[in-house]
Amino acid sequence: MSDPRPLIDRCPGLTRPFRASDGAIVRVRKPGGRIPTAVLRHLLGIAERWGDGRVQVTTRTNLQVRGLPLEADGSVPEEIADAVRATGLVPPTHELVRNVLCSPMGAIDLQPMVAELDEELQEIPLLEQLAGRFMWAFDNGTGDVAGEPWDVCYQALDEDHGIVALDNGRAWEISRADAPSAMLALAQEVQMARTETERPVWHSRELAYRLGDDIPDQTDRPIRVTGPLPVGTYGEDLLAGVPLGLFTGEMIRALPVLADVTLTPWRQVLIPGGAQDAEAYAAAGYVVDPADPWASISACTGLPNCVKSAIDTVSMANALVEAARQDPSIIRRPVHVSGCDRRCGEPHGEHVDLLAPADLATALAELRA
Ligand code: SF4
């Protein structure tokens, strides 16, 4: 059984590092997932100097480094904290309010809306108390990030209009200009409502309250959902998979020096102009072929770095990838390996849930069932 849900979630940050077996985890925010490669290299420098040498992208397009030392009082040493702040990814307030997804590509670019929402939210003290798992999504009409477990979603109908939806079933047609404020107003209503519940509530869908009565033009129009984008080339760009979400130094150094790349919730990075160099990116460790088993297999941290785990999930994922290279038919759907029933990093679409399989044979039997 997993632990009872705590009043305050455990999502780690610079001001609230999580102590794991291999040291501290510090997570930083990147609303919308678009990030200069120079900032990724800065984070890599921190990971290589003080951590385990890798930078991990989460399923909410945030970034984390792990294996960091901690002071006796549980805080991050000042020298490291200064280096993390120098990335520009730690705002003075609202550090833990950071889950904002955005469609990574397409004709309608919603990143300016993400920036507007992020700027406005940092002016609202109440929202600093939001649950660390609360999530906004900006979907450009393709339905890709609309498949993620958002609390509040904007989906574009055209360049200037869209639908704002709350994950308790209500939705409104709205102009693009008015959407960020409406999405923040809904978040404030969620936060106010969740302070009145008996058991800890992290998401709007868990609330019995009717919210959003001040927003006009309610609609029954559904949000379109398609789901994750496959890795591969998209025109001149490359959507490259990051096995287990872990960027190695070689992978980050392979990225263009002066460019913004875009992280996706599916352990991928969109590299502008990367299509022509797909083979070189593959050699650096990226997944560029949707048939590559790493495009379909993910795992939580597991043993030895997570003491809650019953198995070494990463070794299991590696073994499954090797098995799938011999027999591709064993991977018919995405597969996620978890070391315990918290299922960290589990994908939200249809997938095979491998919960702490005792050995490879057991895992393969579950995949073939
Ligand atoms: S799902 Fe994996 S990483 Fe998460 S707590 Fe369980 S064993 Fe640890």
Side-chain angles (χ1 to χ4, degrees):
M1 290 284 292
S2 54
D3 298 337
R5 176 184 285 188
L7 184 60
I8 298 173
D9 57 76
R10 303 186 183 96
C11 299
L14 181 62
T15 53
R16 194 176 70 185
F18 180 81
R19 190 190 293 269
S21 302
D22 58 333
I25 301 172
V26 167
R27 190 174 295 166
V28 289
R29 68 203 291 283
K30 193 65 201 82
R34 189 161 294 170
I35 186 167
T37 53
V39 176
L40 277 178
R41 279 193 293 278
H42 189 139
L43 272 176
L44 176 66
I46 294 167
E48 290 186 331
R49 180 168 177 195
W50 292 291
D52 77 351
R54 297 173 297 182
V55 176
Q56 188 164 30
V57 58
T58 74
T59 53
R60 297 181 177 93
T61 69
N62 294 306
L63 291 159
Q64 65 186 30
V65 290
R66 64 181 305 143
L68 298 171
L70 282 178
E71 301 286 14
D73 65 0
S75 65
V76 176
E78 204 48 43
E79 185 183 18
I80 301 176
D82 286 345
V84 175
R85 283 192 203 94
T87 62
L89 301 177
V90 184
T93 61
H94 299 71
E95 182 204 348
L96 302 176
V97 184
R98 57 190 169 198
N99 303 320
V100 189
L101 304 185
C102 187
S103 294
M105 67 176 96
I108 301 177
D109 183 7
L110 301 184
Q111 290 284 347
M113 292 180 76
V114 172
E116 187 180 337
L117 178 129
D118 191 30
E119 193 177 328
E120 283 186 33
L121 93 82
Q122 292 179 50
E123 302 294 321
I124 305 172
L126 175 69
L127 292 184
E128 206 168 2
Q129 308 305 317
L130 268 180
R133 296 178 186 223
F134 188 93
M135 186 157 76
W136 290 274
F138 287 85
D139 186 290
N140 62 5
T142 53
D144 49 14
V145 297
E148 296 304 302
W150 43 265
D151 292 90
V152 180
C153 177
Y154 174 81
Q155 184 163 66
L157 296 172
D158 58 37
E159 188 69 59
D160 300 319
H161 300 87
I163 299 170
V164 162
L166 181 66
D167 191 23
N168 69 354
R170 299 192 83 188
W172 302 264
E173 287 207 28
I174 196 164
S175 72
R176 173 174 172 146
D178 291 338
S181 297
M183 295 167 82
L184 290 168
L186 286 167
Q188 289 175 82
E189 286 193 53
V190 169
Q191 176 54 25
M192 286 188 281
R194 84 185 195 100
T195 59
E196 296 175 6
T197 58
E198 284 181 14
R199 69 181 282 273
V201 163
W202 287 345
H203 297 288
S204 53
R205 54 187 165 274
E206 300 163 3
L207 291 165
Y209 298 87
R210 181 183 155 100
L211 305 176
D213 280 344
D214 292 339
I215 305 175
D217 300 325
Q218 192 174 342
T219 181
D220 294 329
R221 203 165 169 163
I223 292 286
R224 175 172 183 252
V225 174
T226 51
L229 297 164
V231 299
T233 56
Y234 291 80
E236 296 180 350
D237 302 334
L238 176 67
L239 186 62
V242 181
L244 303 174
L246 289 164
F247 284 99
T248 63
E250 184 179 3
M251 291 167 75
I252 288 180
R253 291 188 187 94
L255 295 171
V257 174
L258 291 175
D260 288 351
V261 294
T262 306
L263 307 166
T264 82
W266 314 296
R267 299 179 175 89
Q268 301 161 330
V269 59
L270 179 68
I271 306 169
Q276 63 183 0
D277 299 318
E279 281 186 24
Y281 284 112
Y286 289 100
V287 182
V288 302
D289 178 357
D292 186 319
W294 276 124
S296 303
I297 295 176
S298 58
C300 75
T301 299
L303 288 176
N305 294 335
C306 177
V307 292
K308 290 180 183 296
S309 187
I311 65 165
D312 179 343
T313 51
V314 172
S315 293
M316 178 63 72
N318 274 297
L320 286 171
V321 166
E322 286 312 309
R325 293 201 197 289
Q326 304 299 320
D327 177 7
S329 71
I330 64 173
I331 305 294
R332 288 172 289 181
R333 288 178 289 161
V335 177
H336 185 72
V337 185
S338 300
C340 81
D341 63 3
R342 287 191 66 195
R343 296 178 170 83
C344 299
E346 183 180 38
H348 293 282
E350 189 194 7
H351 66 280
V352 180
D353 172 24
L354 286 182
L355 179 57
D359 50 34
L360 180 61
T362 306
L364 291 174
E366 286 191 48
L367 292 183
R368 290 188 171 116

